[in-house]
Amino acid sequence: MIELMGEVTEDAFLGGKLRLSQPKSGHRAGHDAMLLAAATPARSGDRVVDFGSGVGAAGLAVAKRVAGIKPVLVEIDERLAELARANAIANAIAAEVLVLDVTSTAEKFAAAGLLPDSVDVVLMNPPFNDASRHRASPDGVRAIAHVAAAETLDGWIHAARRILKSGGNLVMIWRADGIADVLAALGRGFGSLTVLPIHADAASPAIRVLIRATKGGRAPTCLLAGLVLNDEAGRPTLEAKTILAGEGPLPLAMP
């Protein structure tokens, strides 16, 4: 199937430790996926599920950092799922790839092997551009990956809540100006939130937020100091380079 997808590039992530084939056009993995992976609090033996995995970037990056996990990559697009399978094999990572709509019913999830209360960690990078403010791409796959319908956020969080064990963690990345929507959606069944703002540079408002939430958690919300990606000269900061090279996790990944 990969041959039918059009031109594909091979790109290096985590300082070359992870190599991914992905379509040259359309939705492509980048910094968001690597930041999400670095924020994921997985441990050896955990069942880790990556919602909307695309070509597998975030889920496979977690598996590179944490030995002893077999990520489950959930992707609606069959072409991207095929690339995710190939990428797992190419990187010698045992992974399960499911072609499944994240907003599917509990019955469809169960048929795919994702039963209620059966997962330790869910990570996700949902489509988060506001359709009322962002013009959708004419590329259908790219549009699905980037532009959120009104019910997208609630639907994805609901699906994560359903399959997570009590005490299991959800980790997600979202646009910073939509944090109020995320906090409202997580108020149903989640607590113990930890929030990490992501800034393009020290002088600019946050562009992303990484959020870890615990199913049934009761601890107060914790707002961490922000991660700055670039210095005044536009060069990557040492902290950002370290994280994106896979040389250390973000604080959200700590117990």
Side-chain angles (χ1 to χ4, degrees), residues 40-48 62 65-69 120-121 253 255:
T40 300
R43 298 175 296 181
S44 180
D46 279 352
R47 192 170 195 212
V48 177
V62 174
R65 175 170 60 85
V66 182
I69 66 168
D120 299 289
V121 181

Side-chain angles (χ1 to χ4, degrees), residues 1-3 5 8-11 18-23 53-57 60 64 73 75 77-99:
M1 181 179 292
I2 296 174
E3 290 78 4
M5 291 186 65
V8 172
T9 65
E10 182 180 287
D11 302 291
L18 179 67
R19 303 194 68 88
L20 300 174
S21 294
Q22 56 181 334
S53 66
V55 299
L60 296 178
K64 277 292 185 183
L73 311 177
E75 172 54 46
D77 187 279
E78 292 186 11
R79 299 169 300 165
L80 297 180
E82 184 67 17
L83 278 173
R85 290 189 186 95
N87 284 331
I89 293 169
N91 287 279
I93 296 171
E96 180 181 0
V97 181
L98 302 177
V99 179

Side-chain angles (χ1 to χ4, degrees), residues 159-175:
R161 183 171 59 245
R162 186 174 61 219
I163 64 172
L164 279 168
K165 300 174 182 176
S166 179
N169 287 302
L170 166 64
V171 184
M172 62 181 292
I173 190 166
W174 195 257
R175 66 179 200 278

Side-chain angles (χ1 to χ4, degrees), residues 7-247:
E7 194 167 356
V8 172
T9 65
E10 182 180 287
D11 302 291
F13 294 86
L14 302 180
K17 294 186 285 290
L18 179 67
R19 303 194 68 88
L20 300 174
S21 294
Q22 56 181 334
K24 187 174 182 179
S25 61
H27 177 62
R28 290 172 56 79
H31 284 2
D32 282 4
M34 295 302 103
L35 292 171
L36 178 62
T40 300
R43 298 175 296 181
S44 180
D46 279 352
R47 192 170 195 212
V48 177
V49 178
D50 181 4
F51 277 179
S53 66
V55 299
L60 296 178
V62 174
K64 277 292 185 183
R65 175 170 60 85
V66 182
I69 66 168
K70 179 183 177 181
V72 180
L73 311 177
V74 177
E75 172 54 46
I76 191 173
D77 187 279
E78 292 186 11
R79 299 169 300 165
L80 297 180
E82 184 67 17
L83 278 173
R85 290 189 186 95
N87 284 331
I89 293 169
N91 287 279
I93 296 171
E96 180 181 0
V97 181
L98 302 177
V99 179
L100 181 67
D101 185 343
V102 171
T103 61
S104 295
T105 63
E107 290 75 19
K108 288 185 178 179
F109 264 70
L114 293 175
L115 299 171
D117 308 306
S118 66
V119 169
D120 299 289
V121 181
V122 172
L123 61 149
M124 63 188 197
N125 180 8
F128 56 49
N129 286 333
D130 186 339
S132 67
R133 292 188 293 166
H134 294 265
R135 185 175 181 180
S137 169
D139 183 303
V141 174
R142 188 178 180 89
I144 290 172
H146 283 275
V147 179
E151 67 278 4
T152 299
L153 182 60
D154 284 338
W156 283 50
I157 290 177
H158 172 73
R161 183 171 59 245
R162 186 174 61 219
I163 64 172
L164 279 168
K165 300 174 182 176
S166 179
N169 287 302
L170 166 64
V171 184
M172 62 181 292
I173 190 166
W174 195 257
R175 66 179 200 278
D177 65 0
I179 189 171
D181 297 328
V182 177
L183 296 179
L186 290 172
R188 295 181 287 276
F190 287 97
S192 304
L193 275 58
T194 302
V195 181
L196 175 66
I198 307 295
H199 301 260
D201 56 70
S204 301
I207 54 174
R208 299 281 188 271
V209 284
L210 283 159
I211 302 174
R212 184 184 74 191
T214 302
K215 182 177 175 178
R218 295 182 179 276
T221 295
C222 175
L223 179 62
L224 300 174
L227 171 67
V228 177
L229 298 178
N230 300 294
D231 63 19
E232 294 178 355
R235 297 183 296 261
T237 63
L238 178 59
E239 185 179 11
K241 286 194 293 186
T242 299
I243 296 301
L244 294 172
E247 296 174 359

